[in-house]
Amino acid sequence: MKKKYPILTLACLAVLICGGVFASRSGAKAEITIGEKSYEMRTMTVREFMEDGYLLATMSTEGRSLYTYNYSGAMMEAKTYYNTAVPFKPKDGAGAPLSCWLYNPTSEPVEIREGKICAISCKVNQMRECGLSVTVAGLELDRQSKEEIKAYMDGELKGYQFSENEDVNAISYTKGQVSYTFSFTEEDILKNTVARNNV
């Protein structure tokens, strides 16, 4: 019996190591910090996000006014995505500087408020006007140039693949399902950032 214990121990260790490697590969999540709070994509619902001080916001068809709506009763179909970004605003802020993409991973319909968030997009200048900083990969975003963002991200996000879309003046860093995208003005000054964990 004693001879079997080392083999059993080694087998258990192998299972744990393989499980850890698999978890580290499949469990990576995009993260973004807004103000003092960090958010991991795919780990929170709309309801949980709203509890941090945000309101769902909807623009009028003319685009001149903004009103809030709690989406009570609005349902997401089973295993579906919200193809358009759902706008949010800080409770004390103006405009809708946050947008979230939602999905329903369950096999049953759920309320919009119970949908999971797989991506958050922030208009950086408007967020700062609301008194909220936005941080990605340890970098607090402001009015950095495209080259400044690229230099920092190339140094911090080892193993991420860089790509550039000149048509919309944006750069992305992607690793598996996780991606961070930065879009810029015509003067190559940071305008928007998106943290996304594709499902």
Side-chain angles (χ1 to χ4, degrees), residues 8-184:
L8 183 60
T9 303
L10 288 174
C12 289
L13 284 173
V15 169
L16 288 172
I17 290 169
C18 290
V21 169
F22 178 79
S24 67
R25 287 181 178 175
S26 63
K29 298 217 172 30
E31 184 176 276
I32 190 168
T33 301
I34 303 172
E36 302 295 321
K37 176 78 173 176
S38 292
Y39 302 95
E40 283 187 353
M41 306 305 107
R42 295 174 60 187
T43 63
M44 61 183 163
T45 64
V46 172
R47 185 188 301 274
E48 291 165 338
F49 184 74
M50 290 168 65
E51 287 176 355
D52 284 329
Y54 304 102
L55 293 172
L56 286 164
T58 306
M59 295 296 294
S60 69
T61 53
E62 304 85 19
R64 298 192 197 119
S65 61
L66 181 141
Y67 59 94
T68 59
Y69 179 50
N70 67 8
Y71 281 83
S72 180
M75 304 294 288
M76 293 183 70
E77 294 178 7
K79 302 283 187 182
T80 58
Y81 296 81
Y82 227 66
N83 292 325
T84 56
V86 178
F88 285 82
K89 65 185 286 292
K91 283 183 178 174
D92 298 325
L98 284 167
S99 296
C100 296
W101 281 262
L102 314 180
Y103 76 107
N104 174 18
T106 75
S107 57
E108 300 292 334
V110 299
E111 271 195 85
I112 290 292
R113 291 177 298 182
E114 302 306 326
K116 292 281 189 176
I117 295 177
C118 61
I120 293 180
S121 170
C122 295
K123 297 176 182 175
V124 176
N125 284 347
Q126 289 185 34
M127 292 299 292
R128 295 185 77 86
E129 289 172 7
C130 292
L132 294 168
S133 60
V134 178
T135 303
V136 171
L139 176 65
E140 185 175 323
L141 304 177
D142 193 359
R143 290 181 47 81
Q144 290 98 336
S145 69
K146 184 188 289 186
E147 289 306 313
E148 288 173 322
I149 293 287
K150 189 175 182 307
Y152 179 86
M153 298 303 282
D154 285 344
E156 290 299 312
L157 295 186
K158 302 296 185 187
Y160 280 70
Q161 181 179 357
F162 169 80
S163 62
E164 184 168 7
N165 185 333
E166 294 181 356
D167 292 338
V168 293
N169 200 14
I171 60 175
S172 293
Y173 289 83
T174 305
K175 185 176 184 180
Q177 294 175 310
V178 173
S179 68
Y180 299 101
T181 300
F182 305 88
S183 59
F184 301 86

